[in-house]
Amino acid sequence: MSEPKKLYIKTYGCQMNVYDSERMAEALGGAGYVETATPDDADMILLNTCHIREKAAEKIYSELGRFRGLKTARPDLTIGVAGCVAQAEGEEIMRRQPMVDLVVGPQSYHRLPELEAKARSGEKALDTDFPAEDKFEHMPARPKAKRAPTAFLTVQEGCDKFCAFCVVPYTRGAEVSRPAARVLAEARDLVERGVREITLLGQNVNAYHGASDGGDWSLARLVRELARVDGLDRIRYTTSHPNDMEDDLIAAHGDEPKLMPYLHLPVQAGSDRILKAMNRKHTAEQYIRLIERIRAARPDILISGDFIVGFPGETDADFADTMALIRQVGYGTAYSFKYSARPGTPAAEKALVDPQVADARLQELQALLAEQQRATQESMVGRDVSVLFEKPGRQPGQMVGKSDYLHAVHVADDTIAKGDIRRVRITRSGTNSLAGTLVG
């Protein structure tokens, strides 16, 4: 029996890329690969890339440069680039980095075994098509190995919104939802292998409309059906678009106890003028009213968001509107970035805000968000929360997990096992985590 080949995958970006990397490893497992934690002894190196952050492509070229010595020493080492940068710049990657053997887009990675075989034979392998077939239908059965207590599960891909700053419609394609029966089957399989919490993933996950015998299911219907799976104790979903937040999903937050009280609902800006320029197709007032409806259904829900600062044309007044929205909503946590142009997007053709002005605005906005996060965490002190424990902490006897509100919580108690869900009384708030003791 021949020795298995070793695969090193480095994942960039969102949770969907984490899920995709798992499926890529499973696909290549059928070609005789096992994962390794270091590129030094790998037979294949695969970078699963993200195109959202600033200078994403340049960072990948820099990373590839670090592998040049490995490739020189071992010419039979296969180097591949996958994901959104691969989709956007496939031919350019191969031109600029001739040592790359394989490039595959996020909709074609089910073809990885045949692309790997082609690369092994000495040919360059490039596949950045948007295939008609469902890639998930062509993936091998998932291995039956024991899993961590939490898992990601992609249910929807692509985006039809065409926000002016975003490359996702060009790298992930149009919105597509996986059939409901396949999602349920994969969820049951994960639960059988020890998963107690599943996070449903999609570029616009609340636009889910999965085919079923009785007609398309909404995300709310999918959540309610998943809640009936024995052993699945927690359900989350991300990332959502305000325009797809339907009444049935809002209601599910109020009456489905397995749906966790945390919602990531990006708004990007608080100025109607900037929202229009972003092609968001909603106003700040509509977003605020939506948050009010969600909180009416689930008063304790923690809201998370995304903000872009320094979008082309943003004035001091526009930025003030964004700060006002943040103060009015009150975020438990949020992610914020200075605008950077993505080639091929409508906003890339517009004049940038002065970088120093944008930097100053970003610091001011992040200070406000940090203040809100700190206040939210401090408000948890003295409360009892449910915590799913995932791994040992840094201190002996300590275990770390996530609360229902997605806060990291650590408890020093040697009676806790990985995968336990226990009631915890929060005793202290740290910078990015909470400490507590078991209740009872």
Side-chain angles (χ1 to χ4, degrees), residues 216-235:
D216 287 358
W217 285 12
S218 66
L219 183 65
R221 172 73 186 277
L222 180 65
V223 165
R224 293 180 190 281
E225 293 297 326
L226 285 167
R228 297 167 63 183
V229 174
D230 289 339
L232 179 58
D233 298 288
R234 292 175 157 201
I235 301 167

Side-chain angles (χ1 to χ4, degrees), residues 156-170:
Q156 182 271 344
E157 286 193 287
C159 182
D160 296 341
K161 300 297 187 289
F162 288 94
C163 295
F165 53 81
C166 186
V167 296
V168 166
Y170 312 103

Side-chain angles (χ1 to χ4, degrees), residues 392-399 411-414:
R394 295 178 181 176
Q395 305 299 323
Q398 187 183 74
M399 288 292 289
V411 176
D413 193 306
D414 57 13

Side-chain angles (χ1 to χ4, degrees), residues 332 370 373-375 377-378 407-408 410 428-435:
Q373 177 178 324
R374 186 165 51 250
Q377 289 189 189
E378 289 174 353
H407 286 129
H410 52 88
R428 182 171 54 84
S429 173
T431 304
N432 292 303
S433 65
L434 303 170

